[in-house]
């Protein structure tokens, strides 16, 4: 075993080649773990920590956890932080990890972060398989159900997606997907490109990079039709307006992959590694959000750590045109305005909403909001004073911020804060429907159970909270994520548990969108998270 | 010191996060060097080996030299290869390195390659300086010389550029530049964007990433006006059609940088790391060639290892649009056709010339040629049968390949081999002029001195070699790189030595372009390499 050492002095070599940026020697104070404990901690770190802190531990939503920072804190202090969390927003993990696991994790994060491998197009292709041959796809729905009012529901801890009939509230099928699916998207009505059978095919992206294709016209047992894998860690997916391509974005490797939407065969991979808006190189430049731009033949790819919004033409994959729109760090989740021209996305480390103009392929505006905006699926509606508006919840504060988003109709109000609504707790998701008088916000990030278990509803007209709804009172459970049904007459809210990870359960509670009264509870679900109503999503009804 | 070990088994972790791609532990058989010898070998490797084998030793023009390959060969065999070269194209280094240096280099390449650091925009900016304040630039030439017939000449081993008066053959000035300048480019006449004072400003790029700006209107002592540094290792540079931006490409870090052409202040950096045409991730994705597209407001950036031709719009740096044209590996050096629409570039590992259509921003054609094409500045002329044609020399064979390049006027001949001319030896540069009947090719890669010291001239009409010119007979010297003067009446050929690296010399030999007879010898130059005639380069006279 040889130690290669580099001093800063080596950087000044006459011809300018400086020494290694990767330290191959580690300080004598760096603690150690057995190979077994190291591998276990590495796996747990990936599952529970990498999302916020990064696989390479450079930090993003969470703090930088490289040895130069963690060793200073010391084993005991790190164990405490992991166990009990911090005021700064770090969750407590004493309910998820054992004492020994906390000790090992505190040690692991003082060690040099292991760099995961790359993934080639060929490796991805080796994972591609057809459960149903495309030539055997039916030409009409093979069941008598009202599939346009189906809800496609992520069952996070089960690695499944549930198909629920919105009319009968019955679970049609639990479909095997990747680990902890983050998002599911289907084909949408597009203003330029017109896909066949809009709303029929849905695509899931797992945190493990697994992509699954669901055909809602099949008999329930045949709905899972194809599968592939495009990364080791991933978060978002979209389908092109013409329905020909699926695009998914990787956390690691930092890239996006365009697949054939029929077979899921990976066709093109593009790295997102690059420079942030300050001109610093970012190796772990993760793809946070991917959307299809409804008015142009292009995808929007948000790269978290570089603050670059990539507008990617899908017309010619061999001669691929991308506009890289420099905005703000760290990009997270976003949604389109009602016209489909502007994409509104949270830059949560900048406490701002970034607006991109997909027609001019340029930055439109950066709107300062409060601490850590997070709109989830977002909400657009009409305000009497400001005209067309949109809103976001915040991870850092109980507040819904509302801004004007109609620069043609209401230029004086556009891209400025119109008003704010204080809620009881910081939240993750906001949602409304054009037929509804109300906007719903969850409070998932608040530490108190009674608040975490309640969602708040405010009136579009009075801008006042009209009701706080305690969705569940079960210990260890929280309420999150709202979705309207096809007609906008019902709101579905998820109930989710994080405490009992070994035996996770959950339910969806259905409310009357007008009276705000409970109508039904859908049981038999495992940690239901995101829910996607087929009709609303194919028609951009937000 | 702690060893982190990864087995292949770890790759199959349930959730897909595989183990480190970077081995932090090294085999017990890996040899060692003292810190001093390691640093010295690292520097020599960078100066003499990295160009072909890559800083990370993944290989490109040269072989992969990672420990898994080199350790198998063993110390003795490696020493022999370094000292005496191979039939495969590896040069001998027994004349450049001492015995001890060869021994240490053989050891160094069996060790894990050190990864050089990144370079941020801020770091680049710290190198930017003005030798002459732009507000003090003169409004007319400050000397009575015919600056449009100046030759800007690289003096490779001196780290200088010589300005030579083409009328008097006198050296106007030796200007300090970066180490081993690879290319010098000036503003050119452009069909869309029109720069002020075309041909006045010239920009050098050193192998050390240093960029220097030369103002030919200044008095000789003031010609060096600005400087910056955009990489640790670099090869090519270009100026935008409007004269506002300079772009330079890095070998390490793998990126390109767009600078303000007035001050050289770096404005934008874009990573070129990404996937090759097979979909494999390439960390060391080096920028080989950069040109301004004469008909559009864009640059052409050729990324060697990924085979991607990037067409980069320079109109809006904040919302930067790039078309990534997938072609073939490894891209090297190229030139435009006479219309300025098509860029013709060698993909030397594919034994092909790649043609890119800068109007449609798409791959036009891949033309198979012979072993390792290398056109240098290239040559376009008119052939009686095939119409407009272009030609290339080859590093691997004594052959000039000529293809049709006029798809509008001669569609049947376009992008097909028209004819080939056998030369005595493999060469690096080809050149002609519209007023000349002849095409010139050097034979720098041939091992025999008498051939290496001779250039060959063939007739555009008869396609036959009309003369072999022995440019020098001095021991250890070779002839390379031809450039015509403003009127096309003279051909300037460099004489260059590689043997006596400690006391390098050289000269330029001037020939009458019609009689092919020697006219003059310009002495007092250090390893003159590339030469750029101001008028010809600003008017695309090739």
């Amino acid at each position: 075993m040889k130690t290669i050492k580099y001093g800063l002095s080596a950087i000044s070599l006459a011809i300018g080649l400086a020494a290694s940026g990767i330290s191959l020697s580690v300080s004598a104070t760096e603690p150690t773990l057995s190979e077994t404990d190291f591998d276990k901690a590495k796996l747990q770190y990936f599952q529970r920590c990498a999302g916020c802190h990064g696989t390479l531990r450079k930090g993003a939503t969470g703090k930088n956890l490289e040895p130069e920072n963690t060793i200073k804190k010391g084993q005991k202090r790190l164990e405490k932080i992991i166990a009990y969390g911090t005021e700064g927003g770090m969750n407590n993990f004493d309910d998820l990890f054992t004492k020994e696991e906390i000790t090992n994790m505190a040690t692991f994060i003082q060690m040099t972060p292991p760099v995961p491998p790359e993934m080639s197009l060929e490796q991805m292709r080796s994972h591609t398989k057809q459960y149903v041959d495309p030539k055997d796809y039916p030409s009409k729905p093979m069941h008598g159900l009202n599939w346009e009012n189906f809800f496609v529901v992520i069952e996070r801890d089960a690695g499944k997606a549930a198909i629920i009939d919105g009319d009968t509230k019955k679970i049609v099928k639990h479909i095997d997907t990747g680990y902890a699916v983050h998002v599911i998207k289907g084909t949408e009505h597009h203003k330029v490109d017109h896909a066949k059978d809009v709303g029929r095919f849905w695509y899931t992206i797992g945190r493990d990079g697994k992509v699954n294709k669901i055909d809602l016209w099949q008999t329930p047992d045949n709905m899972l039709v194809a599968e592939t894998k495009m990364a080791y860690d991933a978060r978002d997916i979209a389908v092109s307006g013409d329905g020909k391509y699926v695009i998914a974005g990787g956390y690691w490797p930092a890239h996006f992959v365009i697949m054939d939407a029929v077979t899921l065969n990976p066709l093109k991979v593009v790295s997102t590694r690059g420079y942030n808006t300050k001109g610093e190189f970012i190796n772990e430049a993760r793809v946070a959000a991917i959307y299809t731009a409804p008015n142009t033949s292009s995808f929007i790819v948000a790269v978290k750590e570089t603050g670059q919004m990539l507008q990617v033409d899908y017309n010619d994959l061999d001669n691929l045109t991308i506009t890289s729109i420099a905005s703000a760090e760290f990009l997270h989740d976003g949604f389109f305005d009602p016209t489909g021209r502007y994409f509104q996305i949270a830059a949560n480390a900048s406490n701002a909403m970034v607006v991109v103009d997909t027609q001019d392929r340029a930055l439109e505006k950066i709107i300062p909001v409060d601490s850590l905006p997070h709109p989830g699926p977002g909400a657009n509606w009409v305000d009497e004073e400001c005209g067309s508006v949109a809103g976001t919840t915040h991870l850092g504060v109980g507040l819904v911020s509302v801004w004007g988003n109609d620069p043609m109709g209401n230029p004086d109000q556009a891209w400025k804060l119109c008003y704010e609504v204080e809620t009881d707790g910081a939240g993750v998701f906001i949602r409304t429907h054009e037929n509804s008088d109300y906007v719903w916000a969850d409070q998932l990030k608040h530490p108190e159970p009674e608040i975490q278990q309640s969602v708040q509803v405010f009136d579009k007209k009075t801008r006042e909270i009209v009701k706080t709804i305690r969705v569940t009172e079960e210990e260890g459970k929280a309420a999150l994520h709202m979705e309207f049904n096809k007609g906008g007459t019902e709101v579905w809210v998820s109930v989710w548990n994080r405490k009992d990870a070994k035996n996770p359960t959950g339910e969806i509670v259905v409310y009357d969108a007008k009276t705000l009264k409970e109508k039904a509870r859908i049981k038999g679900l495992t940690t239901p998270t995101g829910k996607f109503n087929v009709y609303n999503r194919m028609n951009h009804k937000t």
Side-chain angles (χ1 to χ4, degrees), chain A residues 131-326:
Chain A
Y131 293 108
V132 178
D133 192 314
K135 71 178 176 353
D136 298 331
Y137 286 3
S139 57
K140 58 176 185 2
M142 299 304 284
H143 48 67
L145 304 171
N146 177 17
W147 64 275
E148 285 201 353
N149 197 27
F150 278 0
F151 285 70
V152 185
V153 179
I154 294 167
E155 293 189 83
R156 206 196 108 108
D157 293 347
K160 287 182 197 294
I163 311 297
I164 305 179
D165 181 337
D167 292 359
T168 64
K169 321 277 184 291
K170 279 192 184 136
I171 297 168
V172 176
K173 183 72 187 171
H174 299 281
I175 295 173
D176 285 325
T177 61
Y179 161 81
V181 163
H182 199 75
V183 168
I184 307 180
K185 293 215 186 111
T187 42
E188 303 166 4
H189 286 297
H190 193 275
K191 296 203 182 129
V192 179
D193 298 328
H194 301 288
K196 251 186 80 184
D197 308 333
V198 173
R200 169 183 179 175
F201 295 109
W202 287 75
Y203 300 88
T204 72
I205 179 77
R207 272 206 53 186
D208 53 3
K210 221 195 226 186
V211 177
N212 284 106
K213 179 181 179 183
I214 296 169
D215 177 1
L216 295 181
W217 286 10
Q218 303 272 358
T219 54
D221 284 350
N222 289 322
M223 282 181 175
L224 177 61
V225 294
E227 182 175 303
T228 193
K229 183 175 167 79
M230 47 61 67
Y232 301 109
D233 190 4
R235 286 300 183 285
D236 211 351
I237 193 160
V239 199
S240 62
D242 58 12
K244 286 185 190 155
Y245 300 117
V246 174
I247 178 171
Y251 260 29
W252 191 276
H255 64 205
F256 64 82
V257 177
I258 299 175
M259 293 153 272
D260 179 330
V262 176
T263 61
L264 292 187
N265 192 43
L267 302 172
K268 182 89 186 179
V269 52
V270 176
S271 177
T272 52
R273 291 170 202 207
Y275 290 85
N276 66 13
T277 61
K278 290 179 219 64
E280 297 156 339
F281 181 72
I282 308 291
N283 195 28
E284 194 173 357
R286 307 182 290 181
V287 177
I290 298 198
Y291 280 81
T292 299
N295 305 354
T296 78
S297 305
S298 63
F299 298 115
I300 286 290
V301 176
V303 187
K304 187 184 278 287
E305 284 82 2
T306 62
Q308 303 291 335
M309 293 288 296
L310 309 180
Q311 188 163 353
V312 181
D313 280 10
Y314 55 72
N315 278 325
D316 186 349
L317 302 189
D318 293 327
N319 304 291
L320 192 70
T321 297
I322 300 177
T323 302
S324 187
I325 300 164

Side-chain angles (χ1 to χ4, degrees), chain A residues 278-485:
Chain A
K278 290 179 219 64
E280 297 156 339
F281 181 72
I282 308 291
N283 195 28
E284 194 173 357
R286 307 182 290 181
V287 177
I290 298 198
Y291 280 81
T292 299
N295 305 354
T296 78
S297 305
S298 63
F299 298 115
I300 286 290
V301 176
V303 187
K304 187 184 278 287
E305 284 82 2
T306 62
Q308 303 291 335
M309 293 288 296
L310 309 180
Q311 188 163 353
V312 181
D313 280 10
Y314 55 72
N315 278 325
D316 186 349
L317 302 189
D318 293 327
N319 304 291
L320 192 70
T321 297
I322 300 177
T323 302
S324 187
I325 300 164
S327 65
E329 292 88 6
F330 298 114
L331 296 172
H332 193 71
D333 55 337
F335 58 108
F336 273 94
D337 79 311
T339 70
R341 174 170 175 174
Y342 300 101
F343 191 68
Q344 310 161 107
I345 182 166
N348 49 32
S350 305
N351 296 332
M353 292 297 299
V354 162
V355 184
V356 160
D357 178 351
T358 61
Q359 184 175 304
D360 289 354
R361 294 167 187 250
L363 182 68
E364 172 77 6
K365 198 76 179 182
I366 294 178
I367 311 170
V369 291
D370 214 305
S371 171
L372 300 174
H374 188 292
N380 296 302
W381 67 93
V382 177
D383 178 77
E384 286 193 351
E385 187 191 324
C386 296
S388 179
V389 295
T392 185
T393 28
H394 294 76
L395 300 178
V397 59
L399 190 76
V400 172
S401 295
V402 181
W403 61 89
N405 66 358
D406 181 11
M408 305 295 278
N410 282 290
D412 290 349
Q413 313 289 344
W415 317 130
K416 286 173 201 156
L417 274 190
C418 172
Y419 66 96
E420 292 179 321
V421 178
E422 279 185 38
T423 61
D424 291 338
V428 180
F429 298 108
I430 186 172
R431 194 74 176 152
T432 188
H433 189 281
E434 58 178 2
N435 296 345
S436 169
D437 295 332
Y438 304 119
V439 179
W440 297 56
D442 71 16
Q443 305 180 105
L444 184 64
K445 293 300 282 184
H446 198 277
E448 294 299 322
E450 13 350 334
I451 297 176
Q452 208 178 80
Q453 291 171 345
S454 300
V455 298
Q456 293 197 301
V457 183
F458 67 89
D459 190 307
K460 291 178 182 173
K461 207 164 191 164
T462 66
R463 301 173 176 181
E464 301 283 342
I465 289 174
V466 293
K467 195 166 182 184
T468 301
I469 302 173
R470 182 83 178 255
V471 185
T472 182
E473 295 188 19
E474 263 187 87
E475 206 194 317
K477 288 220 159 67
L480 72 153
H481 196 275
M482 293 69 57
E483 176 77 337
F484 284 75
N485 68 344

